[in-house]
Amino acid sequence: MFTELKSIYPEGIATPNPLIIAGPCSAETREQVLTTARELSANGIRLFRAGIWKPRTKPGGFEGVGPEGLEWLKEVKQETGMQVAVEVANHAHVEAAVAAGIDMLWIGARTSANPFAMQEIADTLSQLNVDCPVLVKNPVNPDLDLWIGALERLYNAGIRRLGAIHRGFSTYGKHLYRNMPQWHIPIELRRREPNLPIICDPSHIGGKRELISSISQQALDMGFDGLIIESHCDPDCAWSDKAQQVTPDVLNFILNTLVIRDQKTSTESLALLRQQIDRIDNEILEQLNKRMSVSREIGQFKKEHRMPVLQANRYDSIMKSRVKLAVEMGMSAEFMTAVLTAIHEESVRQQLEILNRR
Ligand code: PEP
Ligand code: MN
């Protein structure tokens, strides 16, 4: 248990609810860093993030500008007064970041999955005797013990300004989310470590800017302590993660429309109910997509076995049983028939596509 934690926010200042960290996925140029920082600062953001060393899945991608970016972050601090955060993954990164006076460090998902790297970072922080806040992203795989283990290595090295970042978990194949939220995992972390602040990263969970708002609301509804959101002065031209970045003004809009939960906020409020609808729609989409992918597998099977796509008996029995269930649940038979017909049409279309593929 982490019993002696201290605030991750600057000493002596009450941590805002929610804590917001924003900035580009990667520092690209001095111009891009400063422009983004100025716009975020003008919108009231106090904590600025930018990746300097980027762990890329494949070689050949943009791997970050390296230590040169630290100089730009120093300028951000000087000019805007914002605190600055970077991702570190090894001894050299920690040394360079600490020497540059970086205010906050975070550990990426690929690093928190690696106990050797975590121990190296913990040892370096302990040698340097720094009292810098460190946020640990969940490992790429859904392993809560590995996540807690990474945090423990830092705690055992004397780090007390500690927090966790929930950024979702990798899965195989295409999904609505880039990284599945698996909310029960951070919730279990909260149960086991109630003193540990947990921040949500809707940008890396969603992978698309359209999802940031609903994921953020869901996190706040579940009592997360803050949000880390990727923001870029020109998202469509970003050198990494462009689909999930938003301009500082869009970020401002998103933050202003979020419903901050406190004891006084009624769960009946319209905004909250609308957020629930957004969430459920996302779930429906996710499930529909799963159904289509199973249906494509069936299509493949039918093709291999020279079976026709349309199996009238099967379709009829699906219709009858689902419509009956829907009526029992209080929905109309007409409504459910229309929904199932539409789903079936799309399944048939996708199966025919497979059948006609050479
Ligand atoms: C990032 O924050 O830009 C990043 C690389 O995230 P993650 O480690 O969650 O993939
Ligand atoms: Mn990113």
Side-chain angles (χ1 to χ4, degrees):
M1 280 276 270
F2 306 132
T3 48
E4 298 165 19
L5 292 178
K6 294 197 291 191
S7 168
I8 51 174
Y9 211 61
E11 213 77 63
I13 307 177
T15 312
N17 174 32
L19 174 81
I20 304 293
I21 304 168
C25 176
S26 304
E28 298 161 4
T29 64
R30 178 175 173 272
E31 201 61 54
Q32 167 255 4
V33 167
L34 282 164
T35 306
T36 309
R38 283 179 193 129
E39 292 176 12
L40 287 169
S41 169
N43 289 345
I45 300 295
R46 307 305 325 140
L47 274 164
F48 183 77
R49 64 151 279 161
I52 302 289
W53 299 283
K54 302 302 297 178
R56 306 317 299 273
T57 303
K58 287 186 180 173
F62 171 58
E63 299 198 313
V65 292
E68 190 187 0
L70 295 171
E71 299 304 314
W72 308 336
L73 290 174
K74 281 193 207 166
E75 283 190 59
V76 167
K77 258 174 84 104
Q78 261 164 15
E79 193 188 309
T80 67
M82 280 195 279
Q83 297 231 321
V84 292
V86 296
E87 172 176 345
V88 290
N90 61 30
H91 172 85
H93 296 167
V94 176
E95 264 197 337
V98 169
I102 297 299
D103 303 286
M104 184 183 267
L105 305 176
W106 86 83
I107 315 288
R110 289 154 198 78
T111 308
S112 64
N114 178 346
F116 292 126
M118 282 312 304
Q119 195 56 51
E120 180 180 313
I121 292 167
D123 291 344
T124 309
L125 286 165
S126 146
Q127 281 156 22
L128 298 174
N129 204 16
V130 281
D131 186 30
C132 165
V134 185
L135 304 178
V136 181
K137 289 201 174 193
N138 63 262
V140 279
N141 52 322
D143 184 338
L144 178 56
D145 286 332
L146 193 57
W147 193 2
I148 294 180
L151 288 154
E152 256 168 23
R153 286 176 198 276
L154 297 170
Y155 189 82
N156 292 344
I159 302 297
R160 292 294 176 267
R161 302 175 67 192
L162 204 54
I165 299 175
H166 169 229
R167 50 77 80 194
F169 302 90
S170 291
T171 45
Y172 186 68
K174 264 200 174 307
H175 295 274
L176 173 64
Y177 299 103
R178 177 179 178 191
N179 291 294
M180 301 303 260
Q182 305 222 41
W183 294 104
H184 59 281
I185 297 176
I187 288 169
E188 174 62 12
L189 175 61
R190 166 65 32 102
R191 193 187 66 76
R192 288 205 218 164
E193 297 291 347
N195 301 325
L196 183 74
I198 309 180
I199 286 163
C200 179
D201 176 345
S203 311
H204 288 89
I205 292 178
K208 314 173 188 57
R209 53 186 74 116
E210 301 75 37
L211 294 177
I212 293 176
S213 171
S214 63
I215 298 168
S216 300
Q217 186 63 59
Q218 193 162 3
L220 296 185
D221 293 350
M222 283 187 280
F224 278 60
D225 301 281
L227 300 166
I228 176 165
I229 301 182
E230 287 188 342
S231 177
H232 189 291
C233 56
D234 187 3
D236 287 331
C237 294
W239 297 1
S240 59
D241 288 353
K242 60 176 167 191
Q244 68 192 37
Q245 304 206 56
V246 289
T247 62
D249 281 348
V250 168
L251 175 70
N252 200 36
F253 175 79
I254 292 173
L255 294 178
N256 284 331
T257 52
L258 288 177
V259 180
I260 314 291
R261 277 180 74 87
D262 60 30
Q263 263 63 38
K264 284 169 251 115
T265 311
S266 155
T267 49
E268 299 299 315
S269 80
L270 185 58
L272 262 180
L273 292 171
R274 283 186 175 150
Q275 296 292 347
Q276 277 190 40
I277 292 282
D278 289 351
R279 220 149 56 218
I280 293 168
D281 282 351
N282 286 346
E283 283 164 17
I284 293 175
L285 271 172
E286 181 70 25
Q287 294 298 333
L288 268 178
N289 184 42
K290 265 193 207 154
R291 193 187 192 281
M292 288 303 161
S293 103
V294 175
S295 169
R296 281 193 297 273
E297 276 184 50
I298 295 178
Q300 189 60 37
F301 181 92
K302 287 177 181 166
K303 180 180 182 178
E304 283 160 15
H305 295 80
R306 298 180 179 282
M307 289 164 72
V309 160
L310 214 61
Q311 309 263 311
N313 291 349
R314 165 80 182 143
Y315 179 41
D316 187 52
S317 82
I318 285 184
M319 267 292 188
K320 283 194 177 126
S321 63
R322 312 294 196 263
V323 169
K324 183 168 173 278
L325 254 176
V327 171
E328 278 165 19
M329 288 170 170
M331 290 176 276
S332 79
E334 292 71 28
F335 165 70
M336 194 39 60
T337 308
V339 170
L340 287 169
T341 306
I343 294 175
H344 186 251
E345 269 174 27
E346 176 65 7
S347 285
V348 169
R349 192 190 64 77
Q350 295 208 13
Q351 292 194 2
L352 283 174
E353 218 172 76
I354 288 171
L355 203 72
N356 294 323
R357 208 178 283 156
R358 309 212 103 244

